[in-house]
Amino acid sequence: KGEPPKGGRYLRCRLAVSGTDCPGTTWAYDDFEKTFLGYVSEIDIGAIVSDEKQRAELASAKEKLRVVTQKISDENALMEKLQSAIEDADGTEQTRKLLLKRLNAAVERSDSLGQDAERLSRDIETVASRIRSAENRGNSIAKLTHLLDTTSGDELFNIRARLAQLLNDVIKSVAFHPDGFRTTSASRSRIASQMKADGNSEQEIA
């Protein structure tokens, strides 16, 4: 197709293929790839895949850890005071036993809070690791995209393979509407049905 050398791969609207609701404009795959990768290189993929829910989860865990850490500090201060009171007590044995009971209770609370702190620290590291991984993936996509125009041969093949893997981890499906989404309600319904059949969720279709 086209001027010599002929041939090549083209993208064509699904509706055009089925003969409905589309003038049938084609898009050379090489041109599509450059446009798509150029767009991808300009967006913050790391921020997209490490969504606000994860960042909110991380902030919440950090705040809980701050509160727990403060409680541990308070309990430790109380234990020091109780220990001093026991050592300096001039009262009856009953008073010493009461102070010792309070000290043991404070130790138990501190130990329990320490376990909570360890759990929260693990949660924080887990969520932070997911966010870092997402950000690193986004940075890798941007770097590899910029390398496409400056490499060739086996190195280019390896870069394209790595880039395809990273994009596949991030993007489930791609849909383009170059002239705007001007289809009728009936055709929109057909498109939605086909996208659903392709495995897209209702949220992704919307």
Side-chain angles (χ1 to χ4, degrees), residues 50-120:
S50 59
D51 58 26
E52 289 302 318
K53 182 178 179 181
Q54 290 191 65
R55 296 181 184 278
E57 183 181 350
L58 179 61
S60 176
K62 285 183 175 180
E63 174 59 20
K64 289 178 181 178
L65 180 60
R66 185 194 67 77
V67 172
V68 168
T69 301
Q70 181 59 52
K71 288 182 178 180
I72 291 174
S73 178
D74 293 342
E75 292 294 346
N76 289 339
L78 176 59
M79 285 188 289
E80 289 181 6
K81 290 180 180 180
L82 289 171
Q83 185 65 46
S84 296
I86 292 172
E87 293 173 356
D88 299 337
D90 295 327
T92 64
E93 184 64 21
Q94 183 177 359
T95 300
R96 290 174 61 85
K97 287 182 178 179
L98 178 60
L99 290 172
L100 184 59
K101 182 178 180 180
R102 291 182 60 191
L103 176 59
N104 290 335
V107 170
E108 289 181 1
R109 289 194 300 270
S110 181
D111 289 344
S112 178
L113 289 167
Q115 293 175 8
D116 290 342
E118 290 179 0
R119 176 182 55 79
L120 287 168

Side-chain angles (χ1 to χ4, degrees), residues 159-180:
I159 289 175
R160 291 172 68 94
R162 177 59 179 154
L163 185 58
Q165 180 183 3
L166 288 169
L167 290 173
N168 190 56
D169 290 340
V170 176
I171 301 172
K172 183 175 183 180
S173 61
V174 177
F176 289 93
H177 308 285
D179 297 321

